[in-house]
Amino acid sequence: MRVLVIEDEHKIARALKKALEQEHYAVDVSYDGDDGLAMATTEPYDVMIVDRMLPGGHDGISIVKAVRERSIGTPILLLTALGRVEDKTTGLDSGADDYLIKPFALEELLARVRALLRRPVEQHSTVLDADDLSLDTAKRSVKRGNKEIRLTSKEYGLLEFLLRNKNRPISKNTIMQHVWDYDADILPNTIEVYIKYLRAKIDKPFKGKGLIKTVRGFGYKIEDDKK
Ligand code: CA
């Protein structure tokens, strides 16, 4: 397994490289953000360890975002000296898989890397699809075939939830709990109304079968014959 370490503090970078190599990983080290991003997007890594604060035009967060925008699903562990909750949230929201606060024990870092490698790769893909419909969670874009579809925020949320549960009937109640927040004003027909909006955009304009199926008396599902 090949690991990329992007860390400007040479002492830490060297310690990481040594520890990872002892665990039989192939390790590349980059000491600045620009160079690191170039490596991250051109070489096939199995895990990336990225420091949050880096010299150059790209810090850790912008590297993670740029990598995910290119649909590279490699697990990423972010390192940081900052321990505040908002920094952790920003890191994970940007597309990182895990977060480790400095100083850390090398044993812990190695355990986290092993855990990241155990996850199935599909879980890291940013693209959800059914038939010729695709939704890119990094770009927040939706396409059917080559045609871009513009959705409102709620329509997008509803479609993403249905796609994540593809080929499974989902009750209206479950949809409500996952797509609408606790304080939302929900009427008995709100879900139906949004399903109608969504069908008008993703199914109606396209010839061929409708992807959103009604499960009578229960809810809805998105069908994908391929999988
Ligand atoms: Ca640093």
Side-chain angles (χ1 to χ4, degrees):
M1 292 301 208
R2 187 172 173 195
V3 183
L4 174 63
V5 175
I6 308 176
E7 164 65 273
D8 60 305
E9 293 175 68
H10 287 237
K11 206 177 142 196
I12 295 178
R14 274 198 303 273
L16 288 179
K17 185 172 167 66
K18 194 175 162 207
L20 287 160
E21 284 177 341
Q22 278 171 354
E23 300 287 307
H24 311 294
Y25 297 110
V27 185
D28 294 335
V29 176
S30 168
Y31 298 104
D32 79 83
D34 299 333
D35 179 51
L37 177 60
M39 290 167 79
T41 52
T42 51
E43 298 294 320
Y45 292 103
D46 299 294
V47 171
M48 300 181 199
I49 300 169
V50 181
D51 189 28
R52 175 89 158 71
M53 308 284 267
L54 293 164
H58 290 92
D59 67 357
I61 298 286
S62 86
I63 290 175
V64 174
K65 282 187 181 159
V67 164
R68 294 298 183 241
E69 269 164 22
R70 286 168 173 79
S71 297
I72 298 168
T74 309
I76 300 176
L77 174 65
L78 262 185
L79 303 179
T80 188
L82 307 165
R84 295 178 311 190
V85 174
E86 57 267 42
D87 292 312
K88 185 171 177 175
T89 312
T90 313
L92 295 175
D93 278 349
S94 69
D97 301 271
D98 202 354
Y99 204 88
L100 197 53
I101 292 160
K102 294 176 180 174
F104 51 82
L106 282 172
E107 281 310 318
E108 174 161 29
L109 177 124
L110 294 171
R112 303 266 188 122
V113 168
R114 282 194 297 274
L116 289 174
L117 284 168
R118 278 197 297 269
R119 294 191 193 173
V121 169
E122 309 87 76
Q123 203 181 316
H124 298 282
S125 168
T126 61
V127 178
L128 304 167
D129 66 358
D131 222 76
D132 59 346
L133 176 83
S134 63
L135 180 151
D136 188 326
T137 57
K139 296 184 193 145
R140 293 186 76 82
S141 67
V142 176
K143 279 186 189 171
R144 188 144 187 198
N146 290 320
K147 197 171 180 302
E148 196 91 27
I149 301 172
R150 294 179 67 91
L151 299 179
T152 65
S153 168
K154 267 290 160 263
E155 291 162 1
Y156 178 93
L158 177 58
L159 181 61
E160 180 180 355
F161 187 67
L162 290 171
L163 282 170
R164 286 195 187 279
N165 294 285
K166 184 165 80 168
N167 293 328
R168 281 211 297 265
I170 308 298
S171 75
K172 287 179 196 171
N173 199 35
T174 302
I175 292 172
M176 194 177 73
Q177 286 168 349
H178 285 265
V179 181
W180 274 266
D181 67 53
Y182 190 77
D183 295 323
D185 287 323
I186 300 263
L187 298 170
N189 68 340
T190 297
I191 312 286
E192 283 96 322
V193 169
Y194 275 89
I195 288 284
K196 203 176 148 197
Y197 292 158
L198 204 48
R199 278 177 170 149
K201 291 186 180 178
I202 70 162
D203 279 342
K204 277 233 179 83
F206 302 92
K207 293 190 169 89
K209 67 165 194 156
L211 296 173
I212 302 174
K213 303 287 179 196
T214 300
V215 183
R216 202 175 277 267
F218 184 71
Y220 302 92
K221 72 170 173 179
I222 280 198
E223 266 187 4
D224 185 2
D225 295 335
K226 289 177 300 177
K227 294 159 203 165

